[in-house]
Amino acid sequence: MTGAAGDVQASRVVFETAPDRYRHWRVALDGPVAVLTMDVTEDGGLRGGYELKLNSYDLGVDIELYDAVQRLRFEHPEVRAVVITSAKDKVFSAGANIRMLAAAEHAWKVNFCKFTNETRNGIEDATACSGQTYIAAVNGTASGGGYELALACEHILLIDDRSATVSLPELPLLGVLPGTGGLTRVTDKRHVRRDLADYFSTRPEGLGGSKAVAWRLVDEAVPRSAWGETVAARAAEFAARSSRPVGATGIELAPLSKTRSDETVTYGHVSARLDHGRGVAEITISGPSQRPPADAAGIREQAAGFWPLAMTRELDDLVLDLRTNEGELGTWILRTEGDPALVLDYDRLLLASQGDWLVNEIIQYLKRTLKRLDVTSRSLLALVEPGSCFAGSLLELALAADRSYMLAGVFEDEDPGADPAVIAVGEMNLGPLPMGNGLTRLQTRFAGDPDALAAAEKHARQLLQAEDAERAGLVTFAPDDIDWAEEVRLAVEERSSFSPDALTGMEANYRFAGPETMETKIFGRLTAWQNWIFNRPNASGPDGALRRYGTGRRADFDRKRV
Amino acid sequence: MTGAAGDVQASRVVFETAPDRYRHWRVALDGPVAVLTMDVTEDGGLRGGYELKLNSYDLGVDIELYDAVQRLRFEHPEVRAVVITSAKDKVFSAGANIRMLAAAEHAWKVNFCKFTNETRNGIEDATACSGQTYIAAVNGTASGGGYELALACEHILLIDDRSATVSLPELPLLGVLPGTGGLTRVTDKRHVRRDLADYFSTRPEGLGGSKAVAWRLVDEAVPRSAWGETVAARAAEFAARSSRPVGATGIELAPLSKTRSDETVTYGHVSARLDHGRGVAEITISGPSQRPPADAAGIREQAAGFWPLAMTRELDDLVLDLRTNEGELGTWILRTEGDPALVLDYDRLLLASQGDWLVNEIIQYLKRTLKRLDVTSRSLLALVEPGSCFAGSLLELALAADRSYMLAGVFEDEDPGADPAVIAVGEMNLGPLPMGNGLTRLQTRFAGDPDALAAAEKHARQLLQAEDAERAGLVTFAPDDIDWAEEVRLAVEERSSFSPDALTGMEANYRFAGPETMETKIFGRLTAWQNWIFNRPNASGPDGALRRYGTGRRADFDRKRV
């Protein structure tokens, strides 16, 4: 199974894949409509010890889904509606594989849920921002994560055959939550009344037919006789409303050039040094090395080689790799190198060509990748040094960081003649790359301080040296050469000495100041509760519900409410 | 120590107390300004095994604070500003007692945090809704929960003596979060920039003086020489802005008449039957037995005996009692009995007299008590039967419930001639009793379904029988006599069979559909993460930070990030 999605090489999970290697999904293209058919290979689990029956899934299945969603956006501009359906008889999807969950260690469960959540958010993002509307053609029972996948779609058709239902059986059967956005989407997206949602989520057999429609759990229940026709009609209707261009040609998401060892990860524009002794990953993102093309046509020509896209793909892959495979690297140091003016030039080109479908995809992808960073349970420290290019879209990295340190002046011993580091706010920081809470990172940073926000925005396109950047509140600290090494060393060492759990909790709170959205509620409220439940003996203990599932023995609960 | 706040009688925590029994707080009244002085008795812990040094607190200390805040609102209408300060030298408060936390079982920790959060929310509510503005006069170091108490105040003065600081040392010293709203209030209330907040929360020694002001951690740093005068001046300024009436007389919050056994809790208008076998508390709230007085003067005359106030005080005490002392009663059944028209009459009187300070206090108190129900980790089922009075303010109980069952028709065997049950929406459901998310329970229920909301609101003051109530979406199910007993029994038994943890998580998600506020973020995002951290070996295991604190040995962390 070399090269299959999520293949574990040297026990590392690999996130890069391609359609010709899919084992669990089929992609069928028919003009404006794509059909993603889930057909999970039972013995194709990413790890041993469980069978992926009934279209249940593990991380490997979801890695393929993520890849498919990404490729539809970039490689198939002609696609305007995407139907997700199942190849199994009477079953849409049984959700996350329970034996996999029961056997998995806590960190694996949590990371798995995070990625699946991000993939489902990505499906909604494609619907909202790409003109590719996802439709769930639920042609058999959809339980748990199976229904949650449908919930991520804009429109849910359920086959009305007296047996197919949708359900969230996690609570009654497994003693955990529907953790892939289910609870949040049921009330906040589909507006199911909370008491009906409560009943629904305690009923393992679920609901189907007209009742599922009346309760808003699905949009329509369709008899088998009219199924194919109705799904096709709905897909055509959504496709007709799309803003996707006619006659455009996609670009290929060519394989990443990646070198991976225990100590380093290297791509074309992104690299990381993994320091297991200190528990640190030192990540460097290189800015563009040449001037941008003149226009959208030039971008299409460069295709996957166009710097913003290439860099984003590499960063995305690195984040996923480190999150999954390097749990003990608790601190990520973010550096950039290159010409800030060039970064701003690329940003300007992107924003001037936003109407172009490909440019839009690139911006949206960068947005999603930065969001991935926001919900990453690692401490993020940005170091702004001479030769760096934290400007515009790359300034977002510093704004996403928990703290940033910017050198005032230069390293006198190393390179006394260097230009001092500068940062620059650009148009890209003022709207196109919102966080999950719907605000820009600048707005979140200056939440409740409109004067500081206005001042920072007024600096747009100015190259700010450390003192000015600190004064504007754009960096946390601006030590000079004398203090730099000691201050940064202390910050990193200190971070590594703290409780990893407490850091995760603190960062999850501080990174999302201000309003909440469905997305932040999924990662904050829902995920935090699920993590707590996963960690409790009632779920994961030897007598807990997750472990006991399928043994014929009921879980032994500590009945005390907490 | 008989009768001290939080006294454990028959190992039950008692929440009722009164100033003459306080062991940890002093209340000084001086016209429009009250001073609450924290002076914790070291050997006055609610449980054994720890000393409450340095104004650290346990549940007993907070029960007194809660009582003091309540009494100031009802008994002292002349008070317009409340100064919280410390009687200890150089110490304001060291926060929650760490040995207490380290020794406490998980459920106790979580319940303790919930109550302290509610008390601090109550302080903010007094400032926002009662014209009693809280001012923290931080006359010594305020660490952790000590600083969080200050954060709940509208204005924070910190003594500037080169030693006093404010700090959140939980993360670096204890491996847990500042869990009493600290993280949320720092960013969302005080608008401390998130990277500065990050730094601050990793610095056990905290910050003082002008830096604490510059970072917005406190409002002013005041030299010792000007301390008393400045605190008094600030109190006078806030008092001058208050809307509190001049010349009003308070009412006494007379002792509750409460009888408590293992099986029953009985008050004047509220009672509960505790069924430990089924894990159920059956709670009945009685409506008023006589017509309301004519006006606010009549209300003042009835004082603490006025039905809405008496009922609210009893319900508040019952919720606290059951939450703390009856962890295994996982399901609360809510019933009412009385005349719905009379409840609506009382509501009408309250709303017609809202401008009266006492009436305002009663409405605000009911609001807070219902909010307490919303964040209670017990399954709430409302049963609407003949003879009940779920109308207006009491309808909120059914709307707060996870589900409601309303009998269609009557119990043919028991009382065939009874009037069928009715419910009624009243003005009290349309605004004055918002949930923590800022919406009414009706708005939350019909979030995203404006037509259903408008229809429900249009029913205001109509007495609806079961079929109409179900059609309007105001109750979950409306079984008839034939199905009632079985359906209710199944619902209750089923609830008791589920994982208590998963139920807590599900309810915490479903109860707060729609937008989030600082308050819901504290109970959702912050608390859920804290509960997770509390439950992890890195905090509470034998080698965890909470257990190791003070031993001179550092915690042994599993360094894997989750």
Side-chain angles (χ1 to χ4, degrees), chain A residues 194-195 198 201-202 327 377 379 401 403 445 449 476 495-496 498 508 510 514 516 521 525 559 561, chain B residues 194-195 198 201-202 216 327 377 379 401 403 445 449 476 495-496 498 508 510 514 516 521 525 559 561:
Chain A
R194 51 166 283 215
D195 54 340
D198 177 286
S201 305
T202 61
S377 58
S379 296
R403 292 184 205 168
R445 186 175 187 83
D449 191 352
T476 317
R495 210 77 182 182
S496 296
F498 294 147
Y510 278 157
E516 299 251 4
K521 282 171 82 169
R525 181 178 284 270
R559 299 238 60 93
R561 275 292 198 115
Chain B
R194 50 167 284 216
D195 55 339
D198 178 286
S201 305
T202 61
R216 299 172 171 243
S377 57
S379 295
R403 291 184 207 171
R445 186 174 187 82
D449 191 353
T476 317
R495 209 79 181 181
S496 295
F498 294 147
Y510 278 159
E516 299 250 5
K521 283 172 83 169
R525 180 178 286 269
R559 300 239 59 94
R561 273 293 197 117

Side-chain angles (χ1 to χ4, degrees), chain B residues 14-15 85-86 127 207 259 261 308 311 331 360 393 416 424 426 446 471 533 540 545:
Chain B
V14 173
F15 283 84
T85 194
S86 157
T127 297
L207 288 170
T259 316
S261 74
M311 181 275 294
T331 304
N360 176 56
S393 49
F446 298 116
R471 202 170 306 121
I533 293 163
S540 299

Side-chain angles (χ1 to χ4, degrees), chain B residues 338-345 387-392 422-424 463:
Chain B
D339 179 352
L342 267 185
V343 177
L344 293 178
D345 286 346
S388 67
C389 56
F390 284 100
V422 292
I423 64 164
L463 301 178

Side-chain angles (χ1 to χ4, degrees), chain B residues 144-195:
Chain B
Y147 177 49
E148 290 177 300
L149 176 59
L151 284 170
C153 297
E154 184 69 9
H155 190 86
I156 307 177
L157 299 105
L158 174 64
I159 198 161
D160 193 3
D161 63 357
R162 288 161 188 266
S163 92
T165 60
V166 296
S167 66
L168 292 176
E170 287 89 342
L171 186 141
L173 295 187
L174 305 172
V176 299
L177 300 185
T180 316
L183 296 185
T184 310
R185 287 202 175 87
V186 161
T187 52
D188 283 29
K189 180 179 182 180
R190 298 202 58 91
H191 305 303
V192 176
R193 230 174 57 211
R194 50 167 284 216
D195 55 339

Side-chain angles (χ1 to χ4, degrees), chain A residues 105-107 110 114 168 171-172 175-177 182-184 186-188 191-202 204 211 215-216 327-330 374 376-379 399-405 435 441 444-449 470 472-477 494-516 520-521 523-529 531-533 535-539 545 554 557-562, chain B residues 105-107 110 114 168 171-172 175-177 182-184 186-188 191-204 211 215-216 327-330 374 376-379 399-405 435 444-449 470 472-477 494-516 520-521 523-529 531-533 535-539 545 554 557-562:
Chain A
E105 60 169 341
H106 186 60
V110 171
K114 187 171 284 177
L168 292 176
L171 185 141
V176 300
L177 299 186
L183 297 185
T184 311
V186 161
T187 51
D188 283 29
H191 305 303
V192 175
R193 229 174 58 212
R194 51 166 283 215
D195 54 340
L196 300 177
D198 177 286
Y199 178 77
F200 169 66
S201 305
T202 61
K211 193 155 193 173
W215 285 24
R216 301 173 170 240
E328 301 211 351
L329 302 183
D374 291 330
T376 291
S377 58
R378 301 292 189 279
S379 296
L399 298 174
D402 299 298
R403 292 184 205 168
S404 50
Y405 292 80
M435 297 174 61
R441 284 177 190 77
T444 302
R445 186 175 187 83
F446 297 116
D449 191 352
E470 189 187 25
L474 293 166
V475 297
T476 317
F477 299 113
E494 192 186 66
R495 210 77 182 182
S496 296
S497 75
F498 294 147
S499 159
D501 305 329
L503 286 171
T504 293
M506 179 181 76
E507 291 154 7
N509 278 279
Y510 278 157
R511 290 179 188 171
F512 295 93
E516 299 251 4
T520 63
K521 282 171 82 169
F523 288 112
R525 181 178 284 270
L526 176 61
T527 299
W529 282 112
N531 291 0
W532 175 71
I533 292 163
N535 211 48
R536 296 270 297 161
N538 281 340
R554 299 186 57 162
F557 291 132
D558 174 354
R559 299 238 60 93
K560 182 168 281 176
R561 275 292 198 115
V562 175
Chain B
E105 60 169 342
H106 186 59
V110 171
K114 187 172 285 176
L168 292 176
L171 186 141
V176 299
L177 300 185
L183 296 185
T184 310
V186 161
T187 52
D188 283 29
H191 305 303
V192 176
R193 230 174 57 211
R194 50 167 284 216
D195 55 339
L196 300 178
D198 178 286
Y199 178 78
F200 169 65
S201 305
T202 61
R203 196 180 151 96
K211 193 155 196 176
W215 284 23
R216 299 172 171 243
E328 302 213 349
L329 302 183
D374 291 330
T376 291
S377 57
R378 300 292 188 281
S379 295
L399 297 174
D402 298 299
R403 291 184 207 171
S404 51
Y405 291 79
M435 298 173 61
T444 301
R445 186 174 187 82
F446 298 116
D449 191 353
E470 190 187 25
L474 293 167
V475 297
T476 317
F477 299 114
E494 194 186 67
R495 209 79 181 181
S496 295
S497 74
F498 294 147
S499 158
D501 305 329
L503 285 171
T504 293
M506 179 179 76
E507 291 154 7
N509 279 276
Y510 278 159
R511 289 180 188 169
F512 294 93
E516 299 250 5
T520 63
K521 283 172 83 169
F523 288 113
R525 180 178 286 269
L526 176 61
T527 299
W529 283 112
N531 291 359
W532 175 73
I533 293 163
N535 211 47
R536 296 270 298 161
N538 281 341
R554 298 185 60 159
F557 291 132
D558 173 355
R559 300 239 59 94
K560 182 170 281 177
R561 273 293 197 117
V562 175

